[in-house]
Amino acid sequence: MSIDFIAIVSVAFLSSFGHCYSMCGGFNLAFINLNLGAKNLFLLSLFYHLSRIFAYILLGVVFGAFGNILALNAKVQSLSFFILGVFMMILGFALILRGKILILLESNVLFEKIFKKTIQKAKSFKGIKSALILGFANGFVPCGLVYFFLASALSKENFLESVLTMAIFGLSTLPALLFFSKFSTFLSEKFKKFFSILSYILIIIYGIMLAFIGFKGFY
């Protein structure tokens, strides 16, 4: 089992019980409240999250294609590794400190212009239509954690690895978010914070490793 795979699953799974609850919990609850009367609410929730994961996979396709272009030149790729590693370190500290840097990173014009309006319109929908639309829009919510995985996808030399990175990220968050209403009441705030901090530390460590690989590529 590669270090990359362990890091991706660990960060995604741990943060899903803390960070993802604070970032995506509101969207999740809004969707559940819209469909409270549905007999197949669990199935609708599953479609909601599968649609969210599909959005991540599409982002993986885009960033994977760009990462393949960077991989054509060894020096350019080494530089990109170093920059991405530094970005991950800054992101990890920003997530821990939750200051102005994180606010800046998580502000997204595209989301405000397109997906936020889509979410507002989709609030009048119910059933499978609301699950697919709201879930897909949820995948584009500005989130520091998503940025980490996109940076990871961008650092892959193989296009399929980039797509797989985003797919594994989404699937690793599925248990916690699919059973959000049960886990969120069961876990204390201290545990949620502990899981989040631990995942952020892993992001910093991963960033240091990637930056070091990029630095070595110059020699």
Side-chain angles (χ1 to χ4, degrees), residues 34 119-126 130 134:
L34 280 172
I119 289 172
Q120 292 299 325
K121 289 180 181 179
K123 284 182 178 179
S124 61
F125 303 147
K126 289 186 178 182
S130 69
L134 286 173

Side-chain angles (χ1 to χ4, degrees), residues 24 48 51-53 55-56 59 134-142 146:
C24 297
Y48 173 93
S51 186
R52 172 177 62 86
I53 294 168
Y56 295 150
L59 288 170
L134 286 173
F136 187 77
N138 190 174
F140 292 90
V141 171
V146 175

Side-chain angles (χ1 to χ4, degrees), residues 10-39:
S10 299
V11 172
F13 185 74
L14 288 171
S15 59
S16 64
F17 290 98
H19 182 90
C20 292
Y21 277 4
S22 61
M23 288 298 297
C24 297
F27 294 97
N28 211 347
L29 283 176
F31 169 74
I32 291 171
N33 289 331
L34 280 172
N35 295 277
L36 274 178
K39 295 180 180 179

Side-chain angles (χ1 to χ4, degrees), residues 5 9 13 32 40 48 66 69 72-73 75 78 81 96 109 113 116 119 133 159-160 163 183 194 205 207:
F5 181 80
V9 174
F13 185 74
I32 291 171
N40 55 343
Y48 173 93
F66 188 58
I69 294 172
L72 293 175
N73 185 289
K75 291 295 183 183
S78 294
F81 280 1
I96 292 173
V109 176
K113 294 289 184 181
K116 199 168 184 178
I119 289 172
I133 295 175
F159 174 79
L160 290 178
V163 177
F183 282 132
F194 172 75
I205 293 171

Side-chain angles (χ1 to χ4, degrees), residues 167-178:
I168 292 173
F169 159 54
L171 289 171
S172 297
T173 64
L174 185 59
L177 291 175
L178 186 58

